Amino acid sequence: VAVFQRRAALEEAEEVSAIAVQQAQKDEADLPALSGNQYRTLSTDVDGDGMADSIALTIQQDQQVGTTRTLRVNRTSVVIVSGNPQMYFGIVDLNTTDGVKEIALSDEGPSGDPTTEFYRFDGSKLVKIGSTQGLYESMTFDGAGTLTTTTRASMLDTWFFEDQFTLDSSGMLVHVGQDFYERLGDMNDITALAAVGFDTSPTSPVPAFSVVAGDTIQIVGCDNIAWCNVKNAADVEGWFQVESIAWSTLMTGWSFAD
């Protein structure tokens, strides 16, 4: 009896998985075309057992909840509540030596602040191993467990930096903190509205240089905690502590995006 029950359960699960694939394929007609590492259905081995897994992503719209995505692999699934989701998933390989591949799902965010969630299928269930800022298509993966993405800074004005996450001993993605983050993109000029002085380093209050109203500086980067590195027109570098002075009133030219 137990054998027949298990067989019936497997057949039912396979039927549910097949229905999910059919629904995902049906969604194709109403969703943007896919290219490259973008899928709504896929048959590939992601758990490293040598057998193809059936992967499907379906989209649901609800006036109360908003947009949800259901990611299904074989007989298991996970529901992801999203704000501005990409309507597809990607397959990435964080560690090329472990035989396992990860499923990446990105969300565009409310105002150009994308995020990505990473899931691993262990043969019986889907496990969320971490999330980062940035779209998975824009990330780089070294194959040894580390990914590089773009993160929005949490201090000063609106700027972005190159950021890294790596797999820990339990297979979860953890942030690799840095002492300093260089601002990505062109450095715009910040113009002084009054006299301002800058220190030699965060640990040395010795003056590096000062500016007067009308002088310009450029922000090189920050530690994303308290201190930022700048340079003047002569390429002399200095540092300032963000919370020590109301910098937005002493200088102009900042980028403040929503």
Side-chain angles (χ1 to χ4, degrees), residues 24-90:
Q25 292 171 340
K26 183 179 178 181
D27 289 342
E28 292 285 348
D30 302 319
L31 295 172
L34 302 178
S35 63
N37 186 20
Q38 300 174 353
Y39 309 97
R40 279 186 276 273
T41 62
L42 183 65
S43 179
T44 189
D45 180 19
V46 290
D47 61 358
D49 66 355
M51 299 177 62
D53 299 297
S54 177
I55 310 169
L57 182 71
T58 53
I59 316 299
Q60 299 82 34
Q61 300 285 350
D62 186 281
Q63 291 183 345
Q64 300 296 324
V65 179
T67 302
T68 61
R69 294 175 289 178
T70 299
L71 175 66
R72 179 176 292 278
V73 179
N74 298 344
R75 301 181 296 275
T76 189
S77 64
V78 61
V79 177
I80 305 154
V81 178
S82 306
N84 186 19
Q86 290 183 335
M87 305 301 189
Y88 51 82
F89 63 87

Side-chain angles (χ1 to χ4, degrees), residues 108-135:
E108 299 280 356
S111 58
D113 297 317
T115 57
T116 297
E117 295 184 2
F118 294 89
Y119 290 85
R120 180 180 295 128
F121 179 61
D122 66 4
S124 61
K125 63 182 182 299
L126 279 163
V127 179
K128 181 180 175 180
I129 63 169
S131 61
T132 72
Q133 292 190 36
L135 302 174

Side-chain angles (χ1 to χ4, degrees), residues 91-102 141-146:
I91 301 296
V92 301
D93 196 356
L94 289 169
N95 184 348
T96 57
T97 66
D98 64 6
V100 177
K101 294 182 180 179
E102 291 75 26
F141 304 88
D142 70 357
T146 299

